[in-house]
Amino acid sequence: MVQAYILIQTEVGKAAAVAAEIAGSPGVLSAEDVTGPYDVIVRAEAENVDQLGKMVVARIQNVEGITRTLTCPVVHL
């Protein structure tokens, strides 16, 4: 399994709705609205990097109110 943090910027006032919608998506472990340069931080997992990319592009980026995402895969050094 591959896990990643997905940092999300949203339109003003949309963070809570975006986090709530993403929280119900398959592969999403948690979705929290936060303060700072990003509005929502998601922890997700997938079978491999390709599946993770498909999740981000096909599901997460299609949520209304999202303006930008940054995917940070977890590495074990």
Side-chain angles (χ1 to χ4, degrees):
M1 294 295 269
V2 175
Q3 292 190 350
Y5 289 97
I6 304 163
L7 311 177
I8 300 172
Q9 291 179 336
T10 69
E11 296 172 5
V12 174
K14 301 279 185 164
V18 166
E21 185 170 343
I22 291 172
S25 296
V28 171
L29 303 175
S30 65
E32 305 285 341
D33 40 322
V34 297
T35 61
Y38 294 94
D39 303 304
V40 177
I41 297 179
V42 173
R43 180 149 180 145
E45 68 178 3
E47 289 293 322
N48 54 51
V49 174
D50 290 336
Q51 291 298 321
L52 179 65
K54 288 177 186 176
M55 176 195 315
V56 172
V57 173
R59 281 188 267 157
I60 293 176
Q61 289 181 347
N62 283 329
V63 173
E64 188 174 334
I66 291 178
T67 58
R68 180 176 295 160
T69 64
L70 175 65
T71 303
C72 304
V74 174
V75 296
H76 302 282
L77 303 175

